[in-house]
Amino acid sequence: GMLFVNFLGGYVVVPPVFKHHNTYCSYADTIMPQFFFAVGFAFRLTFLRRLATGKPLAATRAVLDRALALILLGFVIYHLDGGTKTWDELQKLGLSGFLAQAFRRELCQTLVQIAITSIWVLPVIAAGPRIRVAYLIASAGLHLWLSSRFYLDWAWTAPVIDGGWLGILTWTIPTLAGSLAYDAVAGGQDDGKTLRKLAGWSLGLMLLGYLISCGGGHLAPPPFVPPATPDVDLWTMSQRTGSVSYLTFATGFSLAVYALFFDVCDRRGWQTALFRIFGQNALVAYVIHPMVASAVKPYLPNDSPAWYLAAGFSVYFAICVVFNAYLERHKLFVRL
């Protein structure tokens, strides 16, 4: 899904539902929350395993090391904002100007968000479900309150990416939901019961997300449907602001996708090499796919017809597959 929407989002012929708009939840907006859902699932699994060794400090250290590594990688990939061309300009900017300018927007994207959200949920990732749910609700409530005070206006005018620095409060929703999904799957109960539980949670969260989006006193259009006006408020489903309504609905959607794969793969035993080679080297796929896209796009203008765009996408996708398949064949896996 990431490869699909990130490559095609800028082309005229592509339907709006596959593009980011920041004024409603499109299909493109559901991709990033699925990363956090997966992170939460794996975080709960690995952290409990490390705790079982009787070394809680080592388990915590491993999480912090991984988070710092992700932030460093994010810095290399995303870079800082702004810049100076002369020494005199840098001196005039000063430390306060540097801090205000350099960290405003670009650095706080997917990998960095995953890192700081992991640190944010670390105190409760090993706790029981009630504590995690309470922490999730408290984080969402704090985001709503801060957004009403100042953050919504600042995030929209900056403009930030993927929720900005306070996005960790709402990216907590899919992350901790992923940890709860792990509990459901690892609980040892009947697969059919687990599937019904996942599906029920999914429907409940998607409905709740939509109801929250109606909190402004008006009936909001359903997800995937463009609003009549581009106006944004506290309740709008917006990836830019990392709104509570957006991430609640997108978490439910992530659960629906996971429930589908749980049924098809875990219960029915269906598999495909395509998902496996990307799944085993997801970080590589994330890092190389924009480089592959930049190699293909120079002769793929934005107004390309559908057939030509499909051909260009096929070349790009095939190259990404070849890279990851090569690494898998030689048992080379890049993980943090």
Side-chain angles (χ1 to χ4, degrees):
M2 176 193 70
L3 295 173
F4 179 80
V5 301
N6 284 1
F7 185 88
L8 296 175
Y11 290 93
V12 175
V13 73
V14 175
V17 73
F18 297 126
K19 303 179 180 183
H20 295 291
H21 301 277
N22 298 310
T23 57
Y24 69 98
C25 184
S26 66
Y27 172 73
D29 296 323
T30 68
I31 302 300
M32 186 168 166
Q34 293 179 55
F35 279 93
F36 284 78
F37 179 86
V39 165
F41 192 106
F43 193 178
R44 173 78 171 170
L45 186 158
T46 57
F47 196 68
L48 290 181
R49 283 183 179 175
R50 290 193 175 107
L51 287 181
T53 65
K55 299 178 180 179
L57 291 180
T60 302
R61 171 73 182 272
V63 173
L64 296 177
D65 286 349
R66 179 178 184 272
L68 291 175
L70 280 172
I71 292 172
L72 179 60
L73 181 59
F75 166 71
V76 172
I77 293 175
Y78 307 133
H79 308 152
L80 301 179
D81 298 294
T84 57
K85 296 181 179 180
T86 66
W87 176 249
D88 183 60
E89 188 179 343
L90 179 61
Q91 287 183 305
K92 289 180 180 178
L93 183 65
L95 179 60
S96 61
F98 165 73
L99 294 175
Q101 173 180 290
F103 298 94
R104 187 177 180 88
R105 167 185 163 93
E106 292 297 329
L107 181 61
C108 198
Q109 297 187 53
T110 306
L111 297 181
V112 175
Q113 284 282 20
I114 288 174
I116 57 179
T117 302
S118 296
I119 296 172
W120 177 254
V121 304
L122 177 58
V124 300
I125 194 64
R130 291 184 181 181
I131 292 178
R132 278 175 285 154
V133 170
Y135 195 83
L136 182 159
I137 294 172
S139 296
L142 181 58
H143 188 277
L144 277 172
W145 181 72
L146 292 173
S147 294
S148 69
R149 299 289 292 179
F150 74 94
Y151 192 65
L152 174 66
D153 292 336
W154 185 84
W156 193 255
T157 56
V160 300
I161 301 173
D162 299 333
W165 293 106
L166 291 187
I168 61 170
L169 296 173
T170 43
W171 289 114
T172 294
I173 300 173
T175 305
L176 289 182
S179 76
L180 294 167
Y182 167 76
D183 290 349
V185 172
Q189 62 186 7
D190 174 74
D191 282 354
K193 187 176 181 180
T194 299
L195 180 62
R196 289 190 293 274
K197 181 183 290 187
L198 294 172
W201 291 352
S202 166
L203 292 173
L205 283 170
M206 285 192 286
L207 177 60
L208 178 60
Y210 173 70
L211 292 176
I212 294 173
S213 73
C214 298
H218 60 276
L219 191 65
F224 310 126
V225 176
T229 65
D231 298 333
V232 174
D233 60 22
L234 189 65
W235 313 104
T236 302
M237 291 190 187
S238 172
Q239 180 161 327
R240 172 174 292 172
T241 63
S243 63
V244 172
S245 59
Y246 155 60
L247 279 165
T248 302
F249 171 81
T251 297
F253 189 86
S254 300
L255 269 163
V257 173
Y258 178 68
L260 173 64
F261 278 86
F262 179 80
D263 182 40
V264 170
C265 301
D266 293 78
R267 298 185 72 210
R268 304 175 190 271
W270 297 0
Q271 295 187 30
T272 172
L274 182 64
F275 290 145
R276 188 191 68 244
I277 64 171
F278 282 126
Q280 291 189 128
N281 255 327
L283 185 59
V284 170
Y286 179 83
V287 171
I288 70 167
H289 86 278
M291 292 187 281
V292 177
S294 66
V296 174
K297 285 188 173 184
Y299 289 94
L300 206 66
N302 288 347
D303 59 351
S304 297
W307 69 268
Y308 187 69
L309 180 58
F313 174 79
S314 298
V315 171
Y316 149 83
F317 190 77
I319 294 172
C320 291
V321 170
V322 167
F323 268 114
N324 273 54
Y326 176 88
L327 293 175
E328 182 194 47
R329 187 164 63 250
H330 291 275
K331 295 181 169 51
L332 298 172
F333 304 106
V334 179
R335 300 190 179 104
L336 291 178

